[in-house]
Each structure stands twice: as structure tokens, then as C-alpha cells.
Amino acid sequence: MIKRDFPTFLLYVFGFLLLWEWLRPVEQLTDTDNIETFIIFLIVAFAGSYLRLKWIWQLLINAFFILFSVNRLYYEGGFFQPDWLNAFLSDMTENLGLIFARNWNDLTDEFRTILFFVLLWLMVYLLHYWLLRQQRIFIFFFMTLVYITVLDTFTEYNATVAIVRTVGAGFAVMGMLTYFRISMREHGSQSFSMKKWMVPLVGMIAFSVLLGMAAPKAAPIWPDPVPYLTAAKGQDGSDGPGGISRIGYGSNDERLGGPFIGDNTTVFTIESNGKHYWKVETKDIYTGKGWVASGSTPIDFTKADLVPVFSIPSSVETRDETARITSVKESSLIVYPAGIQRFIEVNVPERYPIRIDTTTEKIKNLKTNGYSVDFKVPRYKAIDLRKPTGFDPTVMNQEFYERYTKIPENLPARIKQLTEEITAGKTNWFDKAKAVESYFGNIEYTYDQKNVALPGEEDDYVDQFLFDTKVGYCDNFSTSMAVMLRTIGIPTRWVKGFTGGEFTEYTQGDESKEIYQITNNNAHSWVEAFIPGQGWVPFEPTKGYSNGLSIDYTSGETTSRTQTPAPAPAPKPQKEEIDEAPAKAKDSSYDFTAIWSAIEKFFNNNWLSLVVWFLVIAAVVWVLYRIRGKWVPYIFMFRYRFKKQDDTIGTAYLILLKQLDRYGLKRRENQTLSSYARYIDSFFSTREMTRLTNSYEQYLYHQTLPKGSWDDNRELWENLIKKTIA
């Protein structure tokens, strides 16, 4: 029987930690609240078991705690008032009848709580039995690992830290139980102490955990099944619940966030003169969790009409372009570039009604797998973009302004405070928008499609991204910029569509046109800010992306209003890696500031790995130093094996003395070498140390030795070194 001492107390602590791992996911994955009540119950039950209270006292204490907890959770009356007890007994009787009738679904929450308490009580008893009687806990440790890893794989529960905790606690308790079993088998022998057993055990666990955390991990062969299985219900990305995960383009944006599963399926092929962003729709109401449209205003037009989307005023210099869009498969999505004028080469009757919702600018019921569009590409002038400095009711409708600057009433105030800090010193809307757009290039923010948080009921989507997680993809960046600009009175809207895609080839017979593949992976969102006199100007806050907006920053310079010639054919773009963070443009500056910024960024992004590697290296160095007596002699033997000079004995003998000292054969103060040599020989039952000492003293006092004597002395020296290694 194990004594009731500190080591036994540690056993119970580790047992409690292992059982706690079973409770941690319950609150997150079920409707169970007040999980701290069950944790306190475990502490009370483990304490009674450790103190070896009689079973009757443990029964009374645990039963009292259960009843008190049920009263606090489900009944309004005080614990010592009889009314609640009558209701409780009546409820228990009714639930027992339901159990005998096998009607599990109608069991009340009170009775389910009682059953959960009883289950935990049984687990405490089993752990007590495994720890003190069987002194084996591997099966429970193994089942705990299986439990948390299965939850990590197939649910939203993140068990990364839980696995580390479980491994540490599990190996610790198994190591201690092994010590107790050996100690009892040796009838309490003191040949080894608990301290000598635990120190290497703790070192081994710490080293294993740190090495496992720091070691490189291969990418998963199959994506995370939680969002994968969720998204599999709607592979086409059509209207769905949104939020947790989406594949390709989805139209339900009421709840944004969560991991994103990529899809290489080609949706469109585009034949155009260069890359462009392709719009599908816009949304104007931010709810705190996502975006919705404020209404619907459908308008019909025909292919001969101008498309009623007037995002580029006539005051902005433009050039005319044409693009051909081909749907790879039947799709209800109609994509078009900003500045669209009209549909051409579309296979529908002349008077066929094409419908557009002018609130969202989404085009519907155009049943075709291919069409061409005429559109204008703007070239803005910075001098014109910087003119608006605030709301002017003479140039902007009051209702329009309020609609596109509306924010939730409960929006956290720190979002506006941050925006004001970023835009401090900027006097016009355009410069403020560019400052916010540039802010997301900060090294604090990371582009990631997988490790993205899903806001809870009390979380604001933008606030969580800006201040807590700082990890996300286009929805996080674009929504944050749109809301931030609204807090300082700049009208914005949220735009959804596709990026330019991947270049595949030049058009046959016309190398001024390129063909691009648009896949579900190219689904994207960005921001448009309304600048009076300039219309809806696009901004791209997502880290690593660029919308190719053309802005003339030459102040006061006039340019021709005639059509700009088409640019020369561009070289083949590099392939985009969608599943990874977009590649950042290379900085050609090599000044000290850029170098220091790169170093700072590296440490900010990798500080945890650096700390782990430092600890691992320090642990390895410490272990190697502690066991230097085992491996350093081999280095010396290898080194001195090739020496031929007879005076080598001078340094070799001193090395031998240090090795004997490390081995534990210490030389007393004022002890002569001859006396010490006899002591060593008596310990190892040999005459080798005396013979070697005689040669060393001859060299020391006469500075000469017979020629070739080192060969014999080296053999004696190596034999003595080897005796200290074994």
C-alpha cells in the first residue's frame, strides 16, 4: 500500500489532471454550463479518497455536494427549505420511471446532471483503484489520448495544448507508479531514491514534449475534416449557413469566420487584356457578425442597353476594354469588371430581360455559359481623389451617406479609436482610406485560411480580428477596413467576386489577349469607398493582394482624354498558390531600417519556435555536460592514438587524472602521485596506474624518456581511461 505522503499526493494531482481533460471539451461541444461545479466536485472527491476517509463519510460529503449543486443550478428555493426537496424527489421518481420505460429523450436536465455527477464519482473511484491498488494507469492514459485526439479531428475542439498536458501528466504518473512497484518489489530498498528517479523522469518528459513541439510537421494528407465535412454539404458554395467554412463563392454572409477549405475546380475562363477583379455583388449592412443587403431593387434591361451600374463618373479618365467570360459549367453567377458598360456577344434574344438588383449590383437570370462585356478601366488622379475632406450635403445625398456609414450600435469603441490613430494627420478621405489599407500590411496581421476563429455570441467579427486573433483571410481584412472607414464617416461597401485567376496561355492569333482560369479558390472580397466626384473607388486591404488600381500621382499634370493604346503583351504571370499566404513583393531596399524590420518580423513570427529550440539545445548541452565523463574520453583516446612523440605522456597523464576525479576516485590533498597510483591500482585490481605514473615522473623530473615508450604508455593510459567509462 502506498503511503499518504507528498509523492502520493502528486499521483492524485496527475490523476485529477487526466480526468479534467475529459471535462474540458464538454462545455465547448455541448450545452453544458457551469463546468466549474463539476471540477470542484472532482477536487472534493479526490480529496476524500486521498485522505482515506471512511466510505460513509465520502458518501455523505459527495452526496451533499451533489444535492447542493442541483439546488443551486435548478431550484430557486434555499437548500434547507423542504419545498425544493419534495419537487426534487418527485422529479427523480418520474425520471426513474422513464428509465425503466427506456424513454431516454424525456429525461430532465436535473436528472441528467445527477447521472453526470455519479459518472464522475465512479471515475474518481476507478482512478483511486488504479493508482493505489493496481498501480497501473496506462489504459486510462491511452483512452484519454484517444478521446481528445478524436475530438480534435472530428469536432471544433482544438486539442493541441490538451495533448501536451495529457502526455506530460500521463508519463509522470506512469513513471511514479513504476517507481512504487519497483520499491515494493524490493521491500522498500533504499538503493535508489525518489529524487534520483524523478529528476531524469521530469527531464525526459520535458525534453520529449519540447522536441515534439519544435520538430517540423508534415502537412496533412487530407484537410481538416471538420470544415471539410461541413462544407461537403454544399460543394457548389450556394446559399448555406456560412460562417464555419465555405468552398468557393457563397452568397450567405450573415456569419463570417472559421476555416476555409480550398477548391481547385475551374468556374470561369477569362479572355482579356491583363488581370482584373471580377465583381458579383456588394453588401451594405454590417451586423457585427457579417454582411446583409439593406433591401432589393430589381431592374430589367436588355443586352442592347447600358448595364445600370454607374460606378465610374465621366469626370474620371478611362480606357475602353473588352473581355470574354466563359462558364465552365452551368452557373447562376454572373461576373463582370468594375466600369461595365454593356453585354456583347451574349446568346440571348434581343428583348430578353436581364435582371440586376441595383442595391447589391448582382446580375441574375442571364442563362448563358458565355458572354463578352465592354467596360472602362479608370485611371484616377490623386489630386482629384484628395479633394473630399468630409460630408457635403450639396454633393451627396444625406440618405445615401447614412446608409453607407451605418455601423452597429454596440460596435466596440476601440475600433474607432484605432482608426483615428491610424489616420491621424490625414486631412482627406482618400489618404485616410490608404492609411487604413496600408495598416493591414503590419507584421502583426497574418493571412491564413485554416487557423481562423469563428466569433462567439458576444464577439464582434471585426473587433476580434483587429485586437485578438489578427489572423484571417480576405473576409477579415476587407470587412475590417470597411467598418473602420465607416467609424470615421467615410462611405464604404463590401464587394464580393473573384480575383484575376491564373494565367494559362495567350489567345491564339492575338497575343495582346491572355486567357486566365478562375477557380473556386479565387473567390475574394474587397472594399469600395465612395469618393465624391470619383465614384466607388476599390481598395485592397488583404495582405499580399493587389487590385492593380491605376492612380496618377503627378500633381496638376493633365493627361490626354483620348483612348490609351493597349499595353504590350505581359509576360506569363507566376502561378498563384491559393492554399498558402500570398507571396509578398520583394523589397529592393537593403538599408538598415529594412533589414531591422525583416529581423523584427522574423522574431515576431517565430519567437515561440526560437524559444523552444533554445530550450531544447540548452537541455541537450546540459545533458551532454552532465555525462561528459562518458563521451569526452573517447574523443581524447581518438586524438592521442595518432600521436607519436614520447613527451605526449605529459598532457595525457593530466587528462587521466581529471577523468579519474570525474569518475569519483578523487586524489586527497597533499597525496603523492605514487600513493594515488597505488590507490587506483587497488581499486581496479591492476598495476597499470603505477607503471604509468613511474613513466610520467621520469618525464617530469628528467624531461626524457626512452625512444618509443609512448606506445607502451598509451596502451596503459587507454586501459585506465576505459575503466572509468564502463
Side-chain angles (χ1 to χ4, degrees):
M1 182 67 66
I2 300 176
K3 299 179 181 179
R4 191 172 61 193
D5 51 13
F6 182 71
T8 309
F9 174 76
L10 285 181
L11 280 179
Y12 277 91
V13 170
F14 288 128
F16 165 75
L17 293 177
L18 287 176
L19 187 53
W20 191 1
E21 294 300 336
W22 290 75
L23 281 179
R24 291 179 185 271
V26 171
E27 189 172 31
Q28 180 178 342
L29 302 179
T30 69
D31 295 330
T32 306
D33 294 324
N34 301 289
I35 201 70
E36 65 279 355
T37 301
F38 301 105
I39 295 174
I40 295 173
F41 174 74
L42 289 180
I43 296 174
V44 171
F46 270 108
S49 180
Y50 170 73
L51 296 174
R52 313 280 174 81
L53 297 179
K54 291 185 177 180
W55 68 269
I56 186 63
W57 289 111
Q58 293 190 47
L59 174 65
L60 292 175
I61 293 172
N62 293 343
F64 176 83
F65 185 94
I66 293 173
L67 292 176
F68 181 82
S69 299
V70 171
N71 171 265
R72 185 178 64 87
L73 295 175
Y74 297 105
Y75 295 92
E76 295 182 358
F79 178 73
F80 295 101
Q81 295 180 2
D83 294 341
W84 85 270
L85 190 57
N86 293 332
F88 171 74
L89 293 175
S90 175
D91 182 78
M92 293 300 103
T93 303
E94 180 180 350
N95 280 276
L96 289 174
L98 293 174
I99 288 179
F100 287 115
R102 300 182 182 179
N103 189 0
W104 317 112
N105 293 330
D106 291 337
L107 295 177
T108 63
D109 290 338
E110 295 94 317
F111 192 74
R112 294 173 190 268
T113 302
I114 293 288
L115 294 179
F116 193 51
F117 273 119
V118 172
L119 175 63
L120 295 178
W121 194 348
L122 289 174
M123 291 305 302
V124 171
Y125 172 77
L126 286 174
L127 282 172
H128 168 80
Y129 176 77
W130 289 328
L131 291 173
L132 269 68
R133 301 298 179 92
Q134 294 293 318
Q135 296 183 12
R136 284 178 173 84
I137 201 172
F138 174 76
I139 293 179
F140 182 72
F141 170 46
F142 177 74
M143 293 305 299
T144 304
L145 283 176
V146 172
Y147 168 72
I148 60 178
T149 51
V150 168
L151 291 183
D152 180 75
T153 304
F154 295 102
T155 72
E156 299 172 32
Y157 180 63
N158 186 346
T160 303
V161 180
I163 292 174
V164 176
R165 290 193 302 259
T166 303
V167 168
F171 278 115
V173 72
M174 286 197 302
M176 294 181 66
L177 290 175
T178 302
Y179 168 82
F180 287 128
R181 289 199 303 272
I182 295 175
S183 179
M184 292 180 66
R185 187 165 60 244
E186 298 296 330
H187 304 290
S189 172
Q190 299 299 318
S191 59
F192 62 100
S193 66
M194 185 70 171
K195 180 179 179 181
K196 289 184 178 180
W197 179 271
M198 290 301 298
V199 169
L201 175 65
V202 172
M204 182 273 292
I205 295 173
F207 177 76
S208 302
V209 170
L210 292 175
L211 183 62
M213 293 173 61
K217 284 90 176 168
I221 299 175
W222 187 48
D224 186 353
V226 178
Y228 180 86
L229 295 173
T230 304
K233 294 185 294 184
Q235 291 289 337
D236 60 350
S238 58
D239 295 358
I244 294 178
S245 59
R246 292 171 294 162
I247 292 181
Y249 187 93
S251 59
N252 189 330
D253 305 296
E254 295 179 5
R255 193 177 185 197
L256 301 176
F260 184 95
I261 295 300
D263 181 8
N264 286 327
T265 304
T266 301
V267 185
F268 304 100
T269 58
I270 306 288
E271 183 180 347
S272 67
N273 184 8
K275 279 190 175 184
H276 303 280
Y277 272 26
W278 302 92
K279 297 174 63 172
V280 175
E281 63 181 320
T282 68
K283 293 187 177 179
D284 56 351
I285 300 296
Y286 174 67
T287 63
K289 293 290 186 291
W291 292 90
V292 295
S294 59
S296 178
T297 52
I299 295 178
D300 289 342
F301 66 99
T302 66
K303 67 178 184 180
D305 300 326
L306 288 173
V307 180
V309 175
F310 305 106
S311 56
I312 304 177
S314 58
S315 58
V316 177
E317 180 183 349
T318 60
R319 74 171 187 268
D320 295 329
E321 292 283 355
T322 302
R324 176 73 182 172
I325 299 96
T326 304
S327 297
V328 174
K329 61 180 181 179
E330 186 78 18
S331 175
S332 61
L333 295 179
I334 302 299
V335 298
Y336 59 90
I340 184 174
Q341 297 298 295
R342 55 170 48 88
F343 287 97
I344 58 175
E345 299 179 17
V346 56
N347 188 24
V348 294
E350 285 293 328
R351 294 297 176 182
Y352 179 82
I354 304 172
R355 177 162 295 181
I356 183 172
D357 186 340
T358 56
T359 300
T360 63
E361 297 188 350
K362 185 173 185 178
I363 298 174
K364 304 178 180 179
N365 78 333
L366 184 58
K367 302 297 183 181
T368 179
N369 64 349
Y371 55 92
S372 297
V373 292
D374 281 339
F375 62 100
K376 294 183 178 294
V377 178
R379 186 169 187 260
Y380 298 100
K381 295 179 182 178
I383 190 173
D384 295 329
L385 291 170
R386 288 178 171 137
K387 286 180 181 179
T389 58
F391 172 63
D392 184 352
T394 62
V395 297
M396 190 185 304
N397 180 274
Q398 178 76 31
E399 182 181 354
F400 174 90
Y401 177 76
E402 292 177 354
R403 171 184 167 190
Y404 288 105
T405 55
K406 184 178 180 180
I407 55 177
E409 294 181 358
N410 59 347
L411 187 75
R414 59 179 179 174
I415 297 177
K416 181 178 181 180
Q417 294 171 0
L418 175 63
T419 310
E420 290 174 341
E421 292 175 6
I422 295 170
T423 59
K426 309 298 182 183
T427 58
N428 60 81
W429 282 1
F430 175 72
D431 284 342
K432 290 180 179 181
K434 292 298 290 183
V436 173
E437 182 187 50
S438 301
Y439 172 74
F440 291 103
N442 194 308
I443 58 176
E444 292 182 74
Y445 293 93
T446 304
Y447 182 95
D448 197 319
Q449 296 176 347
K450 296 179 177 62
N451 300 316
V452 182
L454 182 67
E457 293 300 324
E458 302 300 323
D459 297 323
D460 181 90
Y461 178 68
V462 171
D463 183 78
Q464 183 189 63
F465 172 68
L466 288 177
F467 301 101
D468 298 334
T469 65
K470 300 184 180 181
V471 175
Y473 42 85
C474 58
D475 290 351
N476 300 88
F477 288 91
S478 58
T479 299
S480 297
M481 179 177 179
V483 172
M484 291 171 74
L485 292 183
R486 287 188 176 194
T487 63
I488 56 174
I490 300 177
T492 61
R493 64 183 183 182
W494 192 60
V495 189
K496 295 180 58 185
F498 294 84
T499 59
E502 181 182 340
F503 173 86
T504 58
E505 59 182 336
Y506 292 105
T507 303
Q508 292 183 359
D510 183 7
E511 290 197 353
S512 66
K513 296 280 188 179
E514 298 104 28
I515 297 178
Y516 294 86
Q517 252 185 4
I518 309 294
T519 71
N520 280 325
N521 283 331
N522 294 115
H524 192 57
S525 61
W526 60 96
V527 180
E528 287 183 347
F530 188 81
I531 307 294
Q534 306 298 301
W536 289 106
V537 179
F539 291 88
E540 180 51 273
T542 303
K543 201 165 189 176
Y545 284 81
S546 174
N547 57 14
L549 187 66
S550 176
I551 301 177
D552 180 8
Y553 285 93
T554 56
S555 177
E557 182 180 335
T558 58
T559 57
S560 173
R561 296 298 300 275
T562 59
Q563 181 174 328
T564 304
K572 180 177 180 179
Q574 295 181 353
K575 182 177 179 180
E576 295 179 359
E577 295 292 341
I578 300 301
D579 285 337
E580 300 295 331
K584 301 176 179 62
K586 293 183 179 179
D587 188 357
S588 59
S589 174
Y590 293 94
D591 59 10
F592 177 78
T593 303
I595 295 174
W596 177 254
S597 176
I599 295 173
E600 184 180 22
K601 178 181 178 181
F602 174 80
F603 276 96
N604 285 336
N605 292 337
N606 301 279
W607 67 268
L608 181 57
S609 297
L610 292 175
V611 170
V612 171
W613 276 112
F614 174 79
L615 293 176
V616 170
I617 293 172
V620 171
V621 171
W622 180 81
V623 172
L624 290 176
Y625 176 77
R626 293 287 295 179
I627 63 171
R628 64 191 185 280
K630 301 292 185 181
W631 58 271
V632 169
Y634 287 105
I635 297 177
F636 285 124
M637 284 192 293
F638 178 80
R639 175 184 171 187
Y640 281 88
R641 180 163 295 179
F642 300 98
K643 290 183 177 293
K644 300 298 182 181
Q645 297 84 355
D646 294 325
D647 59 359
T648 303
I649 192 174
T651 55
Y653 189 85
L654 297 178
I655 291 172
L656 175 61
L657 292 180
K658 290 182 180 179
Q659 179 63 15
L660 290 170
D661 184 77
R662 280 195 293 265
Y663 185 71
L665 300 175
K666 299 184 179 297
R667 180 185 173 192
R668 297 192 305 274
E669 188 176 358
N670 299 324
Q671 186 177 17
T672 64
L673 290 177
S674 298
S675 174
Y676 182 62
R678 289 192 296 272
Y679 167 66
I680 298 299
D681 284 338
S682 65
F683 184 85
F684 289 122
S685 300
T686 180
R687 292 283 298 167
E688 293 171 334
M689 186 64 180
T690 298
R691 293 168 57 191
L692 185 65
T693 301
N694 291 335
S695 296
Y696 174 72
E697 288 181 333
Q698 182 179 354
Y699 165 77
L700 186 65
Y701 297 119
H702 301 286
Q703 294 296 312
T704 182
L705 283 172
K707 187 175 182 179
S709 61
W710 170 242
D711 289 337
D712 296 332
N713 289 328
R714 180 179 57 79
E715 185 177 354
L716 297 173
W717 178 79
E718 285 188 356
N719 290 339
L720 289 167
I721 289 284
K722 291 176 181 178
K723 293 179 186 299
T724 64
I725 300 175

